Amino acid sequence: MDNTSQVLERSAQLFSGKRVLLVNPVADRLVSTLPADWHVWTWDYGVWLALRGQLPEDRLCFSHLCPEVQADVAILVMPKALERAEYALAQIAPMLAPGGLMLLVGEKKGGITRAERLLSSHGEAVEKLDSARHCQLWQARRKEQVSPFVLSDWQSAFVVTLADQQLELVSLPGVFSHGRLDEGSELLLQEQAELPAGKVLDFGCGAGVLAVALSRRNPQTSFELVDVDALSLYCAEQTLARNGIEARVFPSDGLSDVHGRFNAVVSNPPFHTGIRHDTSIAERFFEQVTRNLVPRGELRIVANGFLKYPQLVEAHIGPCQVLRENSRFKVYSAVAPG
């Protein structure tokens, strides 16, 4: 099991036999190993897929919102983004009765050292229970009064101005490049070359900026947007609606749920898993994407210049050319074999 799950296993007496809300879990066997009345909330579609066989459907939730359940104990596995932890705790606390137990577990290098401040916003009697396997486990008792969660308080909307258009983005905590247009996507959108007509896939869509801007420039296209993150999918739907763009949005772990072929695929692919540098998602994407490209279909991506993506693209798709670049990023294009 993951280190965080092993630390929870050491303190299983705290929640054994109780109603437990587990949030942002790792895809391991924790819920099958420990006796408890489990409800799980994840915003990671890959985790949802992995845990489907371990829990009844009504006890496993993939969403940008916490399911409405009554719990004696709530456990949050520390997410990569501190603001995502704040967002989750604001939803978790109202699910507990006053005095209910909140646990926060995470790796020392992953932000768990801020646990006392995070838990103090909604709890009291905050204390560290355990420190092992490079992780810490903290607990707090829910305060008598906590504020109800209001999604609009956490949702931000901002205007992005490009050379040829303005668009409005909607974002939530922890969504990639929350509250701003990232430098990589900005560089990709500086490229004015037309996309092939037909279906276009936006892989790892985030808040939906690529699909909106490129749909407007390429009215001959029809976009589909995928992401592994439930908050990103919600934001993409909101962004599309605010900008009057119609497109299909759905979850996928990599290309797991992407079917059919596309005339083009665009992406600012991720190269982190949690806090760890990890290009395996992008590598699997390059290996598999040819099955989703029509003959002569285009792959257009942006990536940090230090990543060895051109070799991977050429190994799996075809010759890779640089459309534009700056000191940090490069925009690549490759065309599938005819």
Side-chain angles (χ1 to χ4, degrees):
M1 288 196 296
D2 184 79
N3 285 342
T4 56
S5 296
Q6 292 181 52
V7 170
L8 289 171
E9 192 175 34
R10 286 159 57 103
S11 298
Q13 74 282 355
L14 293 172
F15 48 87
S16 179
K18 296 182 179 178
R19 298 174 299 175
V20 180
L21 173 62
L22 176 61
V23 180
N24 190 38
V26 177
D28 60 19
R29 304 295 298 178
L30 179 69
V31 297
S32 297
T33 303
L34 300 183
D37 185 5
W38 294 102
H39 284 267
V40 171
W41 171 33
T42 180
W43 44 77
D44 186 314
Y45 187 64
V47 171
W48 182 85
L49 289 173
L51 296 183
R52 277 191 303 177
Q54 299 185 47
L55 287 169
E57 186 175 328
D58 62 349
R59 292 173 178 263
L60 177 60
C61 177
F62 168 71
S63 177
H64 65 292
L65 293 174
C66 184
E68 294 187 7
V69 298
Q70 293 298 312
D72 305 307
V73 181
I75 305 168
L76 173 62
V77 180
M78 186 72 187
K80 172 187 173 182
L82 178 66
E83 57 189 5
R84 181 70 66 92
E86 295 170 335
Y87 172 86
L89 287 168
Q91 297 189 60
I92 292 168
M95 303 296 172
L96 294 167
L101 190 64
M102 293 187 293
L103 300 177
L104 184 57
V105 63
E107 296 185 11
K108 293 177 183 177
K109 59 183 179 181
I112 192 63
T113 53
R114 300 176 180 176
E116 187 169 10
R117 180 175 73 80
L118 286 167
L119 290 172
S120 295
S121 298
H122 309 281
E124 52 196 10
V126 180
E127 62 175 319
K128 182 166 65 175
L129 296 181
D130 199 359
S131 182
R133 302 188 180 279
H134 309 290
C135 299
Q136 292 180 0
L137 175 64
W138 289 75
Q139 78 166 9
R141 297 284 175 181
R142 203 210 86 165
K143 292 178 179 179
E144 185 70 26
Q145 298 291 330
V146 295
S147 301
F149 177 81
V150 180
L151 180 62
S152 59
D153 292 343
W154 295 85
Q155 182 173 297
S156 67
F158 58 101
V159 174
V160 170
T161 301
L162 303 175
D164 60 338
Q165 62 182 286
Q166 279 192 336
L167 55 112
E168 187 176 3
L169 291 185
V170 174
S171 189
L172 285 170
V175 171
F176 175 65
S177 194
H178 176 50
R180 63 183 178 86
L181 177 62
D182 67 285
E183 186 180 352
S185 296
E186 182 178 16
L187 183 66
L188 190 152
L189 291 174
Q190 288 174 12
E191 177 55 48
Q192 297 292 325
E194 285 189 357
L195 290 171
K199 290 173 58 180
V200 180
L201 178 69
D202 182 351
F203 175 79
C205 63
V209 61
L210 297 184
V212 169
L214 294 174
S215 289
R216 287 178 173 171
R217 289 181 189 164
N218 299 270
Q220 77 283 9
T221 60
S222 173
F223 267 79
E224 295 188 10
L225 292 74
V226 298
D227 206 291
V228 73
D229 178 49
L231 278 70
S232 295
L233 295 170
Y234 167 80
C235 291
E237 290 174 340
Q238 298 299 307
T239 294
L240 290 165
R242 292 198 182 201
N243 292 278
I245 302 295
E246 292 187 7
R248 183 182 175 216
V249 181
F250 59 98
S252 184
D253 181 21
L255 293 167
S256 66
D257 286 51
V258 176
H259 305 292
R261 292 197 165 197
F262 296 81
N263 300 82
V265 176
V266 297
S267 183
N268 184 349
F271 62 96
H272 288 91
T273 298
I275 60 174
R276 299 177 181 86
H277 183 281
D278 179 11
T279 60
S280 63
I281 297 172
E283 290 171 11
R284 287 197 306 273
F285 168 65
F286 296 138
E287 291 172 5
Q288 299 170 3
V289 73
T290 49
R291 74 185 185 196
N292 295 113
L293 279 170
V294 301
R296 307 303 300 168
E298 181 188 359
L299 172 69
R300 189 181 300 182
I301 66 167
V302 63
N304 287 76
F306 69 84
L307 296 170
K308 307 300 183 183
Y309 284 175
Q311 299 95 312
L312 293 169
V313 171
E314 295 194 341
H316 298 289
I317 301 161
C320 181
Q321 66 175 121
V322 177
L323 297 181
R324 63 179 58 234
E325 62 184 296
N326 60 24
S327 60
R328 295 185 59 208
F329 294 91
K330 293 183 179 181
V331 177
Y332 300 110
S333 175
V335 176

